[in-house]
Amino acid sequence: MILYGSSFSPFVRKVIAFAAERGVALENKAILLGDPDPAFRAASPLAKMPALVDGDFSIADSTAIVTYLDGVAPGAKLIPETPRERATVYWWDEFADTELFGVGRRMFFNRVVAPLFQRNPAIADAADADAAERDDLPRILAYLEDVVPEPGGWLVGSSLSLADIAVASPFVNFDHCASSPWADAYPRVAAWVRPILARPSFAGVVDSETRLLAKVRGRGAA
Ligand SMILES: N[C@@H](CCC(=O)N[C@@H](CS)C(=O)NCC(=O)O)C(=O)O
């Protein structure tokens, strides 16, 4: 299977980690935002990453992709079957894709993507990144601080699920670009999310992102 996208996108990283947890081998074809690659465009009608191609089947949207992977891969599922657990997993997935991503996008785009990857500081709105971190991130992290399980616990049920993977993924972007370490102010969130990001399914991809970012920062642009 081919996965189009850059792992710097929390949506793409979510799919990569999910596939690794489910033992699905993906060939990751790195693309840029709005990439003109015809194969990517054919798989992603809205030109958003990620998109997946599996033989003659293609599908875009991270949630649609992980739902497909969970269905086709043998072994224990990461999206539960029971109505309440399944609904709750999708609620967390939506929380990650909207609330966490919404704030993270303003920080990561303006501090990393525009100035460093796109070499276009003119479109980087530093004030908006600061406002997102100062005014909006605390509300979301304070909510999580109240509801995350004890370290070693899971957001839904008694084992790892899509919920944990989806909510953990945007934290990598916060780590890449937050001006003050969020973990100091939200210790329960940190104690829950750190072990998830240390799992092999996340660790490899996070490490390669961190190394690439250090290189790009070292030379001032991509
Ligand atoms: N709901 C989609 C969102 C995907 C998305 O917004 N991806 C961003 C990158 S983080 C993108 O490709 N944006 C390009 C654009 O909006 O043109 C998903 O879960 O995959």
Side-chain angles (χ1 to χ4, degrees):
M1 295 189 209
I2 299 170
L3 182 74
Y4 290 94
S6 158
S7 73
F8 281 100
S9 156
F11 301 110
V12 176
R13 191 184 303 111
K14 172 173 82 175
V15 173
I16 290 173
F18 188 97
E21 294 285 352
R22 289 294 272 110
V24 178
L26 293 179
E27 180 191 344
N28 182 203
K29 286 204 172 160
I31 51 160
L32 302 171
L33 282 178
D35 203 292
D37 180 326
F40 163 61
R41 290 299 181 113
S44 182
L46 302 179
K48 295 188 180 191
M49 61 177 86
L52 181 87
V53 176
D54 182 19
D56 62 357
F57 176 72
S58 65
I59 188 80
D61 187 278
S62 60
T63 306
I65 293 170
V66 296
T67 301
Y68 176 72
L69 296 179
D70 215 38
V72 296
K77 299 207 179 301
L78 291 175
I79 302 174
E81 305 279 1
T82 63
R84 290 184 184 192
E85 286 193 345
R86 191 173 183 83
T88 309
V89 160
Y90 281 125
W91 186 87
W92 279 116
D93 183 60
E94 178 66 9
F95 172 84
D97 288 3
T98 54
E99 297 294 317
L100 282 171
F101 173 74
V103 172
R105 187 199 61 77
R106 291 163 63 201
M107 294 164 58
F108 192 70
F109 180 83
N110 291 314
R111 290 176 180 167
V112 174
V113 176
L116 297 175
F117 290 162
Q118 297 185 340
R119 302 184 207 215
N120 192 354
I123 60 165
D125 186 343
D128 189 49
D130 293 348
E133 184 172 16
R134 184 190 58 238
D135 302 334
D136 296 325
L137 186 59
R139 172 183 58 83
I140 297 168
L141 295 187
Y143 166 68
L144 277 176
E145 184 77 0
D146 276 349
V147 298
V148 286
E150 294 299 316
W154 311 103
L155 284 175
V156 180
S158 55
S159 59
L160 179 80
S161 74
L162 167 62
D164 304 291
I165 295 169
V167 174
S169 183
F171 279 89
V172 179
N173 295 77
F174 297 139
D175 284 340
H176 285 329
C177 75
S179 61
S180 65
W182 61 266
D184 292 352
Y186 304 95
R188 281 176 49 83
V189 177
W192 168 77
V193 82
R194 288 289 174 225
I196 295 171
L197 296 180
R199 294 171 74 89
S201 57
F202 271 110
V205 76
V206 172
D207 185 56
S208 65
E209 286 175 32
T210 305
R211 279 187 287 112
L212 178 65
L213 208 46
K215 219 155 104 183
V216 170
R217 282 192 166 117
R219 61 174 184 249

